[in-house]
Structure formats: structure tokens, C-alpha cells
Amino acid sequence: MRSQSEVARSAFRWRAMLWSMLAIIALAMALPSVGYLVANAAQVYGPDRDFTEERATNPRSDMWRDARVGQGGFTTQTGPYITNTMISNIGENYRQLREGPIKTWGGWFLVLVIVAIALFAAINGRSRLEEGRSGMTVERWKTYERILHWFTAISFIVLTITGLSLLFGRTVLIPMFGHTGFATYAQFAMNLHNALGPFFAVGVILMIVLWAKHNIPNKTDIQWFRQGGGIIGSKHPSAGKLNGGEKLWFWLGVFAMGLIVIISGFIMLFPNLGFQTREVMAWSQIFHAIVALIWIGFFFGHAYIGTLGTEGAFEGMAHGRVDTNWAKQHHDLWYEEVIASGEKPISEEELRRQKRPAPTGGEAPGH
Ligand code: HEM
């Protein structure tokens, strides 16, 4: 008969071995393609580019290249755009970057994230309630917090679908819907993306303002990361209202990436503000696309953990209350605080009774 610690150690060794294999496979897949793309990018965009072929087909190519180096000439016209330059390279460079590495790496990145989540789910399974349900619940998210979360989440999903349609539409959607069909849809997607963006920005900013206080890092988070959020070792690590992983999502995902995407989106949406040169516009598009792609990858992880990944987490954001066993297992320090503050757990049955409409007793006598 093996002792409990032996079983835990062996389970840990198995998981560690599987994770190492996974990491090696991912690296083996990623390295050659990254190497190829970097080498290719250096060839196409770098200073070592060989022009022999261009010179052979177009003897004047050197002259056009000289015109495109961006040196300013004389003109009486002024404005924020480079009015004194005959040919501006910025637009074409941006286009090549977008059509090349951003689309290729971005697309593969999202595919890899989905594969990694699927493998994680297959290896680790769902994080179950170890003690089962207690049937008693405590409040986790207030109504206004849930409205804010779901408004922002639904906007994010619509922005993701429309944004990815605009980035990958030419490659993926034109073969499916044809040029006319795609043009109609792309126009609609762009208008929706542009109209929803500012409302989503308000949601993200409110989230940052209202939830920053729950996300202040502390020593418990270090221990949480050391234990891989419960994957490493047999005991679930301690956590306050939010754990280390959630704080990472908040600061890196919602705060940092959120602000970059919002600011770059704002710059592109209002090009008439006067300070946007062509460089500023091109860099905004590049940052917006790259950071949004990384954010979407993070979002896949967040959405998986909040639904299929963790038993009992979704109901907190859906109905506002969580089972006390979920609270003790995932956020023990927060649960202690809630109880110390005097809140009494309420049974699910009592909650249902409270929600039921009061029986109508008919007309009062004399009326
Ligand atoms: C289908 C999409 C989504 C699902 C299923 C989902 C699910 C959840 C759940 C279940 C929680 C509660 C976790 C807990 O009680 O510990 C949560 C918290 C949270 N969610 Fe989402 N979410 C989604 C999309 C988003 C999006 C798009 C954003 C931001 C742009 C977001 C930002 C947050 C934040 C900030 C928290 C609080 C935790 C923290 O501050 O880190 N969620 N989500």
C-alpha cells in the first residue's frame, strides 16, 4: 500500500514528465519556424537584402530606391504628413509587416495557444471540488461587477471576431465568401469594431479602477506561482480574493495590454486630432494588432479557466455567489476574511426561497 505522499510524489513526477515533453515538442515546433521567419524577414526587410534580381528586371530600380529613402525635398505645402517627400516607404513597410510576420506569427500563436489549452485540459482534466459541494454559498461578485464583467467580455468577443476578420479576412474569408461577399461583411465588421471600441474601452478602464485594489501583489502570490497554482504538489496553494494567476491576467492582460490596445485604437479612430504623422499611424496599427493578438491568446486561457477548467468558478461571475467549499479550496484567505467580516453563508435552498415571489394573499378585507 503506497502512502499518500508517495502517491502525490509519483503523480507530480508524471505531470512534470508530461509537461517537459510538452515543452520540448512546443520548442521543437516553434524554433525552426521562428528561425525561418526571422531569416526570411531579414532577407525581405533587412539591410542585407540582395537587389541583383530587381536590377536585372528593372534597370531603374536603384533610382526608385533612392527616391524612397525618405529624404525631404522642397515644397510649399505643409501638414503633419510628410508632404515634402516624393515617395513614403512607411505605408508599404507597414503593409509588408502586417501581411507577413504579423499575420503568420499571430495566426500560429493563436493556434498554439488553443493546442496548449487542449493538451493542458487533456493532461490535467478539470480542477474539481475536492470536498464536493457544501450547498452553502457566500457572495463573490456584486451585481454591478457582474454587469461590468459581462459587458466587457461580450464586447471583447465581438471585437475579437471583427478584428480577426479584418486581419485574416483576405486569406481566410475571401476564398469562402468571394470578393463581393467579403467586402460587404468587412465593411460591416469594420464599422462595428470602430463603434464598439470606445464602449469597450470604458469597460476596461472601469475594471482597472474598480478591481485594482483586489489585485495588489503580495507574498502569497509568489507561493501560488511556486506551486504552479496547484498543479505542482498535492496541496492547493493559499490565495486571497484573487490568486497570482488572476492578478497576472489583470495587470498584464487587462491593464497593460488593455491600455496599449485602447490608446493605439484611439489614435487610429481619430486621425483628425492633428498629432498623428504617418509613422504614428503605422506604429499604432502595428502595436494594436500585435498586442491584441497576444491579449486574445491570454483571453482564451482566462475563458477556459473560468468555465471548463475550474468547477464552480463560472457560477460566481454568473450569479454572484460561490459554494463555500470552492471558496475554501481556491481562495482560502479571502473566505476567512468574508467569515471574519460577519457574513453568514446562505444555503442554496434559502436563496431560492428568497428569490421566489412572495405569495399574493388576495384583496385585503374592506377593499
Ligand atoms: C467568455 C469569456 C469570459 C469568461 C467565461 C470569463 C470568466 C470569468 C470568471 C468565472 C471570473 C471569476 C473568477 C473568480 O471568481 O475568481 C472572471 C473574472 C475576471 N474576468 Fe473574466 N471571463 C471572460 C472574459 C473576460 C474578458 C474579455 C475580460 C477583460 C477584458 C475579463 C476580465 C476579468 C477580470 C479582470 C476578472 C477579475 C479577476 C481579476 O481581477 O483578475 N474577463 N472571469
Side-chain angles (χ1 to χ4, degrees), residues 140-141 149-150 152-153 156-157 200 204 207 211 215 241-242 246-247 249-250 254 295 299 302-303 306-307 313-314 316-317 326 331:
R140 180 141 175 90
W141 300 104
H149 178 268
W150 290 119
T152 315
F156 185 97
I157 293 168
F200 168 72
V204 170
M207 264 186 179
W211 290 345
N215 283 286
K241 166 116 181 170
L242 297 169
E246 289 176 309
K247 290 180 186 178
W249 160 243
F250 180 84
V254 182
W295 198 8
F299 155 73
H302 173 75
T307 50
F314 188 78
M317 215 23 121
W326 181 88
H331 299 275

Side-chain angles (χ1 to χ4, degrees), residues 46 69 76 130 198 218 267 343:
V69 290
T76 50
E130 281 153 16
N218 56 35
I267 291 172
E343 186 181 329

